């Protein structure tokens, strides 16, 4: 034995590394020290003794894959899960979401909802996420409580929003938020103008200046509905993408959520600016927004991640289920079953999303020197027997409920389907009380 002892090691029947060569180890061994992966190799008898880990996990009958990355969500909306179905986006947003938010959203509610969402994401295998909402300081506190990796963007709109009477105040608070979390090991502040249709040129220019000054990334909803595209052409004579480019806002540090509808000149804009894309298939389907042509965007060389969007329009934060929808949609859209295979889809939710967030050298695959964020899902139990292909099994058969173990920065965060550092007991009363309050306000709104 010549190696320094490992903090943690595991053996699993399948390790999907998602590295550049797409290697799958059957069985595989992963060794972890100081929060990073130090060894990934085919498992051989006696390895645990040779490496002498402080803790060893025998994950036989498990698929191990990199921690999933949810590229677009709004965790603060956690208590608005399924508030009302079957409404078009504009009615849903203006007559349900915005009034509910005006009446109910406080810093305390955002903390509770974010904590709840992070619990649900961790239990279903998501270790990193991109969030846009109000009171992101509260989301940051929840992220620190659970240790998840969070890209947090305080939402900026030109209209008054919870806690922010106008865009000027919003920008001032945003600057304070950026300063207080810059250099944080797991929380990354980002810019989050809500959408081109809710932000004036002036606001977008101010955000561009902040983006350059602090070297930040940004996320924004773009071209989610055809109505948005038409309205922008009417008001500005440009598509939202053309407008963002003309304001100097669009580049490879921007993650555009949705991108369902593209205008005539948008492909050239995308080829020049090369933004990342956060594809939200279930939210787009449920709101009847349309289908993002992910295959075309990827053929153009854009990096695409997968997001759940909020539970108000999904109604789940389960990235495993989201992957299945993403894969099936491209096959149907192109009438071609070879589009978006299972392995490629897992790549979107891991290595490609990491690259789109500028973290490709740190996250998104199981490789030596990367941060040790790994997930194990159980296979070959009677309910889902048999598993012939681990990629297809993960994407098409399993759901986030099959996740048994999550390793976050080298620590076991979920074991045997339970959170190790579980906040449920301390939060449950508040969660129940807040959900009831949301239910009452929703009834009041529906009565008009
Ligand atoms: Zn969204």
């Amino acid at each position: 034995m010549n190696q320094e002892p490992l903090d943690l090691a595991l053996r699993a029947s399948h390790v999907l590394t998602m590295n550049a060569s797409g290697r799958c180890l059957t069985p595989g061994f992963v060794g972890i020290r100081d929060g990073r992966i130090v060894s990934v190799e085919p498992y051989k008898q006696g390895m645990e003794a040779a490496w002498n880990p402080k803790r060893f996990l025998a994950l036989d009958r498990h698929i191990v894959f990199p921690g999933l990355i949810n590229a677009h969500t709004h965790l603060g909306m956690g208590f608005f899960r399924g508030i009302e179905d079957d409404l078009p986006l504009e009615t849903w947003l203006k007559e349900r979401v915005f009034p509910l938010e005006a009446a109910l959203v406080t810093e305390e509610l955002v903390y509770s909802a974010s904590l709840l969402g992070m619990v649900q994401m961790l239990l279903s295998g998501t270790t990193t996420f991109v969030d846009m909402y109000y009171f992101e300081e509260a989301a940051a506190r929840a992220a620190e409580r659970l240790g998840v990796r969070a890209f947090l963007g305080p939402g900026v709109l030109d209209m008054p929003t919870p806690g922010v009477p106008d865009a000027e105040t919003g920008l001032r608070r945003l600057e304070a938020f950026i300063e207080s979390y810059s250099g944080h090991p797991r929380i990354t502040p980002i810019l989050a103008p809500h959408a081109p249709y809710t932000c004036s040129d002036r606001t977008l220019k101010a955000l561009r200046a902040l983006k350059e000054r602090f070297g930040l990334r940004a996320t924004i909803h773009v071209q989610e509905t055809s109505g948005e595209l038409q309205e922008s052409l009417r008001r500005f004579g440009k598509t939202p993408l053309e407008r963002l480019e003309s304001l100097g806002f669009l580049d490879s540090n921007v993650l555009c959520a949705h991108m369902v509808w593209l205008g005539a000149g948008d492909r050239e804009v995308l080829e020049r600016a090369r933004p990342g894309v956060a594809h939200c298939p279930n939210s787009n389907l449920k709101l009847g927004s349309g289908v993002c042509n992910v295959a075309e965007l990827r053929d153009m060389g854009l990096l695409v991640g997968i997001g759940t969007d909020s539970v108000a329009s999904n109604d789940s934060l389960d990235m495993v289920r989201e992957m299945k929808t993403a894969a099936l949609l491209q096959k149907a859209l192109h009438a071609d079953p070879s589009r978006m295979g299972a392995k490629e889809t897992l790549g979107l939710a891991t290595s490609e999303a990491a690259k789109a967030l500028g973290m490709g050298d740190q996250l998104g695959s199981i490789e030596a020197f990367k941060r040790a964020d790994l997930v194990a899902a159980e296979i070959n139990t009677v309910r889902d027997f048999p598993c012939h292909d681990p990629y297809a099994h993960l994407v098409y058969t399993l759901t986030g409920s099959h996740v048994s173990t999550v390793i976050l920065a080298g620590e076991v965060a979920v074991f045997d389907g339970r959170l190790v550092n579980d906040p449920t007991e301390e939060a449950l009363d508040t969660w129940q009380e807040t959900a009831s309050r949301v239910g009452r306000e929703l009834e009041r709104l529906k009565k008009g």
Side-chain angles (χ1 to χ4, degrees), residues 37-194:
I37 297 163
V38 294
S39 165
V40 190
E41 48 197 306
Y43 174 78
K44 286 184 214 80
Q45 201 89 38
M47 276 180 109
E48 52 273 51
W51 280 94
N52 189 25
K54 290 179 192 149
R55 185 172 179 189
F56 181 72
L57 304 176
L59 297 166
D60 303 318
R61 293 192 292 119
H62 276 78
I63 299 174
V64 167
F65 51 98
L68 299 173
I69 298 174
N70 187 339
H72 181 74
T73 190
H74 312 276
L75 292 187
M77 297 173 79
F79 293 106
F80 303 155
R81 182 189 298 271
I83 44 169
E84 192 168 354
D85 301 332
D86 312 331
L87 293 178
L89 178 94
E90 200 166 307
T91 319
W92 174 83
L93 198 61
K94 292 186 178 157
E95 293 178 24
R96 293 293 179 261
V97 176
F98 288 161
L100 269 181
E101 287 179 337
L104 296 172
V105 171
T106 60
E107 189 164 350
E108 292 70 37
L109 178 135
V110 172
Y111 176 78
S112 287
S114 302
L115 192 70
L116 176 61
M118 289 172 205
V119 165
Q120 292 167 348
M121 289 198 302
L122 267 180
L123 288 172
S124 53
T126 295
T127 50
T128 298
F129 65 96
V130 180
D131 192 74
M132 170 202 288
Y133 207 57
Y134 315 116
F135 298 112
E136 288 290 82
E137 306 77 18
R141 272 196 289 128
E144 284 185 304
R145 167 74 178 78
L146 290 170
V148 289
R149 297 190 201 280
F151 288 77
L152 301 178
V156 177
L157 290 84
D158 273 353
M159 63 193 222
T161 57
V164 180
D166 51 61
E168 303 280 300
T169 316
L171 291 173
R172 262 204 317 279
R173 298 228 183 115
L174 177 58
E175 218 175 301
F177 179 76
I178 294 164
E179 277 169 353
S180 56
Y181 284 97
S182 71
H184 191 286
R186 297 196 206 172
I187 295 169
T188 309
I190 54 166
L191 297 174
H194 170 262

